[in-house]
Amino acid sequence: MTHGLTDAQFFDMVSRFLGPYYIALALMNGLAALYLWRSDQTKTWFRLPIPLTGKSLPITNVIGWLVFALLFTILAGIGGKSGGAQLLELPESWREAINTYTDPIWYSVITTVGLVVVYVFRGFFVKPAVAWIIWNLMWLFLGLSMTDSDFFEIVAKPDNVPIVMLVFLLAFFTWLGTYQAVINDRRKENGEPPMEKVNDEKVLVWPDLVYTELICMIALTAFLIFWAIALPAPLEEAASSVKTPNPSKAPWYFLGLQEMLVYYDPWMAGVVLPSLIVAGLMAVPYIDFNKAGNGYYTIKERQFSYIVFQFGFLEMWVTLIVLGTLLRGPNWNFFGPYEHWDAHKVEALNNVNLSEFFWEKMLGRSLPGTLALADISPSLDPSNWVIVPWLGRIVDPFLQFFSLLFGRELPGTLLVLGYFIALPPIMALTVFRKFYERMGFIRFMVMANLLLFMGSLPIKMLLRWIFDLKYLIAIPEYFFNF
Amino acid sequence: MAENKKMSVAEILAAARKADGGSSGEAEPPAEAAPVEAEAAPEAAAPETEAAEPATKPKPATGASGGRPSVAEMMAMARAEKGGGAKPAAPKPAPKAKPAAAAKPAAKKPAAAKKGPAEPRDTASILAAARKGNKPGPMSKSEAAAKAKDDPKGKAKAPIVVPPMPAKPAYAKPAAPAKAKGKKDEVDEGVRDFLWVGFAGLGAVTALWSLASLKFLFPNVRREPPSKFKVGFPDAYPAGQVQTKFKAQYGVWVANAEYNGQQQIYALKSVCTHLGCTPSWLEAEQKYKCPCHGSGFYKDGINFEGPAPRPLERCAIRIADDGQIEIDKSRTFQEEMGQWEDPACYVSV
Ligand code: FES
């Protein structure tokens, strides 16, 4: 989109976008201030003493948001002027820093730590004023980043617009849910019933719900039509079986799966894990024994479910979608958000299997081979079997497979078996003791295995990033890799 | 009880009908409750209908909200009867001996029930009413208002008397059928013909359409490259070079490189062994790189980065009689199976 544009032309284009953008943000803040003022929700943050008069001026949230609106108006004035976008760039050093901290390891560490911090201090982060400031900063960050042509290219691509919307919508809805949960938890502590139980006026399906749904349906259709007209779907060249576009990205909602495929065998990442996600979600009502939280928002009473869900959804699904959309470039390499998508970027990714690592690097010997019937004793060679040669031909592959599994791939096999067989009992005896007592053997085993499968993805990712590990068990001869 | 048992089925039916017709809708709330519960409470309904004389009837239980019992109360009563507990309305226990006979009057009841004061009878409102009665559940403001207003009204509702149907006047009787017979037949014929044409046309179009879709399965052009093809003479392949020009047409790279200490010309299939995307040869980095999940392969096809679990596959290659290199894509050789030792998969130079 920005190809063949001079800098001046590019900044002109961005200016045309930034002017309305900042005006919209200013309006958003102005309307918020107006709403708070008219609905009598003004809150005084602090009082500003006026010198000499001895009086003081109350600084309320309304005034705060008005100041924000003013700032955005000023930004609109600067950025909207042709070429003015140049003045609103993020400093080069910041962009550099952001680029370096969006490599896979930092990206995942930072998002994880960020989510944990937000979770632990949720009482602070859900305060409307705090949340509103963060919300504004998110938009401001987007606006400032737009002046970078590489960033602009990724974000403004019609394909990727839904991801940007997703980030903002998700932030909003997560806040909305958490906010109510925090309030309810606090009320519970004071012995009050949750908000939902206080004012639960009954509404009727018809007309209340059906009308709401109808209106939503119409509004959404209108929005989709508008979107389809405003941002035409990008068409690519005709499909060809011998040419794959570079990078080749799945539809955005599958980018998490595509990211998973980087770390796993297609059989694992394409079939086993996705079906386990579906099966696991279906098993939730069966596993869940906690009756609390029925019909109202709460976190305190459902900490375990909440954390597991948010980990699976926000961390493992959404972050991976965002990563796949914004940070994966040609040849499926990692690129920072302000980095040029260079198809020739070289990244040494020399991956080794655990078996190679173990036998060759640690023990300094070559990989053990396979075992066939003929190796055990020449008389067992299937070709010598006069009566049932086909039996030998059936037995042989099995023998080979298991000799690989427990021979060459022994370290990986032990690790995987240990992970899936030894860990659940240990979990039952230690951290999950209470769970085990309440759930019984089968339910607990189902839950433990689902949890372990969920955990296997980040573990595998970490192993890949830190040790360049390709597969724990690698038996490509039989399409069995883990 | 003993007399009851002796009644024949016919008698019971007669009694039931009498009770049906004779009682105003308001008179026997417990019996009306029965249809609500459907046939679930046949025994409950039966004794009630038999003992339909108003005199023997105990006072109908008054609802909390007004003169007549609410549906919820009726249901409660019906249930109590069924369970054999306290029976405010039916003093006698149900004769268990004839559930079949009893079921019939019960089934007939909906007609009687309709005569009662207008009260919503659909499942949803009955359930709602039932819940309202015995559970301090949520109630909308409009409901609360309606409830308050309803109370005085409910008592004084007169039974609706249906007047007899008047006799049909002459002009309302159906016209003599003989009159327009001939003409009508003509019209019918026309319509029938038209329908025939219509259906035949529809059938023809459908048939053509299915044929056309069948044709669709056999495309005009099938771009399926031949599995055997020639790629020129061996001296066109300088050592250390990967020829990419056959990739677009045939999906192979032809390379002249060293493998296991031997200089060979070989053909690699340009299909990633991970999920089957088409990698591209990067001259600068001297590797095949897959755009889908980032697998990388050395020049000889051995996988070294990304998720691809095994090396690229080689195709059969040989020097044809005319001295040109001939590649056969239908035979492939896999390194992990030790098949690259096969001289059919390379040309030594
Ligand atoms: S298809 Fe080539 S890396 Fe996945």
Side-chain angles (χ1 to χ4, degrees):
Chain A
M1 194 187 293
T2 57
H3 285 309
L5 290 184
T6 63
D7 270 5
Q9 283 169 321
F10 170 73
F11 283 121
D12 254 11
M13 186 174 72
V14 176
S15 293
R16 277 199 298 281
F17 167 78
L18 283 186
Y21 178 83
Y22 282 126
I23 287 177
L25 290 184
L27 270 179
M28 178 178 84
N29 276 289
L31 286 178
L34 183 70
Y35 170 76
L36 289 177
W37 178 49
R38 300 302 304 207
S39 62
D40 261 343
Q41 298 185 43
T42 37
K43 249 188 237 137
T44 310
W45 288 342
F46 59 90
R47 304 188 74 87
L48 192 71
I50 301 170
L52 303 179
T53 56
K55 284 183 204 156
S56 65
L57 185 71
I59 300 296
T60 62
N61 47 358
V62 173
I63 294 182
W65 307 146
L66 278 180
V67 171
F68 267 67
L70 197 69
L71 286 179
F72 278 126
T73 318
I74 295 171
L75 285 182
I78 301 173
K81 216 168 56 202
S82 92
Q86 210 159 356
L87 303 172
L88 293 181
E89 276 184 324
L90 277 180
E92 185 65 36
S93 54
W94 287 32
R95 283 184 276 167
E96 287 288 313
I98 291 178
N99 275 346
T100 39
Y101 286 117
T102 40
D103 78 325
I105 301 182
W106 278 112
Y107 177 78
S108 33
V109 169
I110 290 174
T111 43
T112 314
V113 170
L115 287 175
V116 169
V117 167
V118 171
Y119 171 72
V120 172
F121 298 104
R122 56 183 185 274
F124 170 75
F125 282 105
V126 297
K127 280 186 190 156
V130 178
W132 187 253
I133 289 177
I134 296 177
W135 178 250
N136 272 309
L137 288 182
M138 282 167 72
W139 287 105
L140 182 66
F141 173 78
L142 181 67
L144 291 181
S145 299
M146 276 306 205
T147 52
D148 183 278
S149 64
D150 293 314
F151 187 92
F152 186 90
E153 183 134 355
I154 304 174
V155 167
K157 196 172 167 222
D159 262 349
N160 297 344
V161 171
I163 310 298
V164 181
M165 290 203 276
L166 172 107
V167 171
F168 282 94
L169 282 179
L170 209 75
F172 171 70
F173 283 116
T174 311
W175 169 77
L176 192 63
T178 318
Y179 180 52
Q180 297 173 66
V182 166
I183 291 179
N184 279 345
D185 288 344
R186 235 172 251 153
R187 293 177 62 95
K188 264 274 152 73
E189 264 167 32
N190 301 340
E192 293 163 302
M195 294 288 285
E196 284 86 347
K197 297 269 145 81
V198 174
N199 199 8
D200 60 342
E201 192 199 336
K202 193 169 75 176
V203 291
L204 302 168
V205 169
W206 171 267
D208 304 71
L209 176 71
V210 177
Y211 264 55
T212 317
E213 282 174 346
L214 180 77
I215 291 168
C216 286
M217 200 173 78
I218 292 172
L220 205 64
T221 312
F223 171 70
L224 282 179
I225 290 174
F226 165 77
W227 184 3
I229 293 171
L231 290 176
L235 281 182
E236 295 183 2
E237 52 195 311
S240 155
S241 60
V242 289
K243 191 162 187 297
T244 308
N246 190 8
S248 194
K249 291 196 179 181
W252 63 264
Y253 41 84
F254 277 154
L255 279 173
L257 283 183
Q258 193 174 1
E259 194 58 33
M260 218 144 87
L261 276 164
V262 175
Y263 308 96
Y264 276 115
D265 184 74
W267 173 240
M268 206 45 208
V271 181
V272 177
L273 288 177
S275 358
L276 272 179
I277 294 176
V278 177
L281 286 175
M282 279 158 62
V284 165
Y286 165 73
I287 294 172
D288 185 19
F289 58 81
N290 187 352
K291 295 257 184 338
N294 205 341
Y296 56 95
Y297 287 93
T298 175
I299 291 179
K300 272 245 176 75
E301 295 175 14
R302 304 186 58 88
Q303 296 242 26
F304 177 73
S305 335
Y306 181 83
I307 293 175
V308 170
F309 174 78
Q310 291 295 43
F311 176 75
F313 182 62
L314 280 187
E315 177 82 7
M316 296 275 77
W317 195 249
V318 174
T319 355
L320 286 189
I321 286 179
V322 173
L323 180 153
T325 313
L326 304 180
L327 303 180
R328 287 288 193 181
N331 297 328
W332 214 245
N333 277 330
F334 242 88
F335 291 88
Y338 307 107
E339 198 174 337
H340 182 62
W341 275 18
D342 177 10
H344 294 285
K345 174 172 175 173
V346 187
E347 235 177 283
L349 293 168
N350 226 328
N351 297 334
V352 280
N353 291 324
L354 182 64
S355 49
E356 294 164 24
F357 192 77
F358 180 75
W359 297 108
E360 292 177 345
K361 294 223 175 101
M362 282 176 60
L363 300 186
R365 44 175 292 186
S366 63
L367 293 176
T370 56
L371 193 66
L373 282 173
D375 302 333
I376 303 175
S377 138
S379 66
L380 279 177
D381 190 339
S383 52
N384 296 340
W385 293 21
V386 194
I387 312 171
V388 276
W390 55 267
L391 191 64
R393 251 176 273 131
I394 291 177
V395 172
D396 233 14
F398 281 99
L399 190 65
Q400 279 179 21
F401 176 75
F402 283 105
S403 69
L404 285 174
L405 192 63
F406 292 104
R408 186 181 78 195
E409 306 298 334
L410 186 66
T413 312
L414 287 183
L415 273 181
V416 173
L417 286 184
Y419 182 73
F420 283 112
I421 294 180
L423 264 189
I426 296 177
M427 283 158 67
L429 287 177
T430 55
V431 239
F432 287 99
R433 178 162 223 138
K434 290 242 171 56
F435 280 69
Y436 183 73
E437 277 159 13
R438 292 201 56 178
M439 296 172 82
F441 180 73
I442 297 183
R443 273 214 296 180
F444 179 80
M445 279 302 163
V446 171
M447 186 199 73
N449 275 294
L450 286 172
L451 271 186
L452 288 177
F453 264 106
M454 184 158 134
S456 72
L457 180 62
I459 292 178
K460 191 80 193 292
M461 291 167 96
L462 283 179
L463 289 177
R464 171 69 61 82
W465 294 332
I466 298 174
F467 301 111
D468 281 330
L469 180 91
K470 192 192 281 172
Y471 290 120
L472 288 164
I473 305 176
I475 309 183
E477 293 90 336
Y478 291 94
F479 301 99
F480 187 88
N481 305 293
F482 191 84
Chain B
M1 208 64 254
E3 305 152 276
N4 278 352
K5 262 185 190 153
K6 272 175 220 148
M7 280 168 92
S8 74
V9 177
E11 281 168 316
I12 296 165
L13 279 173
R17 263 185 221 115
K18 197 175 85 191
D20 259 5
S23 64
S24 71
E26 195 127 39
E28 36 171 29
E32 278 175 37
V36 168
E37 286 253 274
E39 272 94 344
E43 307 110 323
E48 206 34 58
T49 46
E50 279 157 23
E53 306 95 315
T56 66
K57 191 161 293 178
K59 56 160 179 78
T62 31
S65 54
R68 59 183 299 279
S70 75
V71 177
E73 282 153 356
M74 293 175 201
M75 285 173 76
M77 273 186 254
R79 263 189 223 110
E81 280 165 37
K82 208 167 84 178
K87 297 180 193 65
K92 287 174 185 177
K96 291 267 182 325
K98 29 180 201 224
K104 269 178 202 163
K108 275 192 142 195
K109 281 291 157 132
K114 272 193 193 110
K115 275 196 272 170
E119 169 98 11
R121 291 284 166 173
D122 56 311
T123 323
S125 40
I126 289 168
L127 282 175
R131 281 202 199 101
K132 185 171 64 183
N134 49 24
K135 222 170 113 192
M139 180 192 290
S140 72
K141 281 168 192 152
S142 53
E143 261 177 12
K147 198 180 170 194
K149 234 181 6 185
D150 254 8
D151 282 347
K153 243 198 208 166
K155 274 181 214 164
K157 199 140 198 187
I160 299 163
V161 181
V162 182
M165 280 284 270
K168 242 180 200 170
Y171 57 81
K173 286 194 175 125
K179 214 177 167 187
K181 202 177 178 184
K183 206 181 165 194
K184 207 178 178 190
D185 260 4
E186 269 166 42
V187 172
D188 272 358
E189 284 292 293
V191 169
R192 216 168 280 147
D193 282 351
F194 180 74
L195 278 179
W196 265 117
V197 173
F199 277 120
L202 197 67
V205 170
T206 314
L208 277 178
W209 200 76
S210 337
L211 279 179
S213 14
L214 209 63
K215 165 78 176 56
F216 197 71
L217 296 178
F218 303 93
N220 296 334
V221 185
R222 284 173 74 196
R223 215 195 70 81
E224 210 169 73
S227 77
K228 265 190 195 167
F229 47 89
K230 294 189 173 157
V231 293
F233 296 97
D235 45 356
Y237 296 90
Q241 207 185 329
V242 175
Q243 181 54 269
T244 56
K245 77 175 174 204
F246 301 106
K247 191 183 127 188
Q249 199 180 350
Y250 299 118
V252 292
W253 292 289
V254 186
N256 180 348
E258 207 183 274
Y259 176 69
N260 275 351
Q262 204 185 2
Q263 196 69 26
Q264 316 179 324
I265 294 180
Y266 50 82
L268 287 173
K269 217 167 146 185
S270 61
V271 173
C272 180
T273 50
H274 181 229
L275 263 186
C277 288
T278 312
S280 30
W281 168 249
L282 305 180
E283 187 65 44
E285 291 95 56
Q286 292 285 303
K287 69 180 178 191
Y288 308 93
K289 184 78 178 166
C290 183
C292 288
H293 315 94
S295 286
F297 307 86
Y298 290 126
K299 193 193 278 179
D300 54 10
I302 305 286
N303 54 321
F304 72 100
E305 63 178 4
R310 55 201 186 87
L312 295 171
E313 291 175 10
R314 280 190 184 186
C315 304
I317 193 169
R318 70 183 190 109
I319 303 282
D321 301 337
D322 58 357
Q324 286 202 52
I325 298 176
E326 190 189 59
I327 295 173
D328 181 1
K329 269 188 75 181
S330 61
R331 286 174 66 203
T332 55
F333 299 82
Q334 301 180 4
E335 193 267 351
E336 74 276 9
M337 308 288 248
Q339 290 164 342
W340 283 12
E341 308 293 324
D342 193 331
C345 74
Y346 58 87
V347 170
S348 302
V349 284

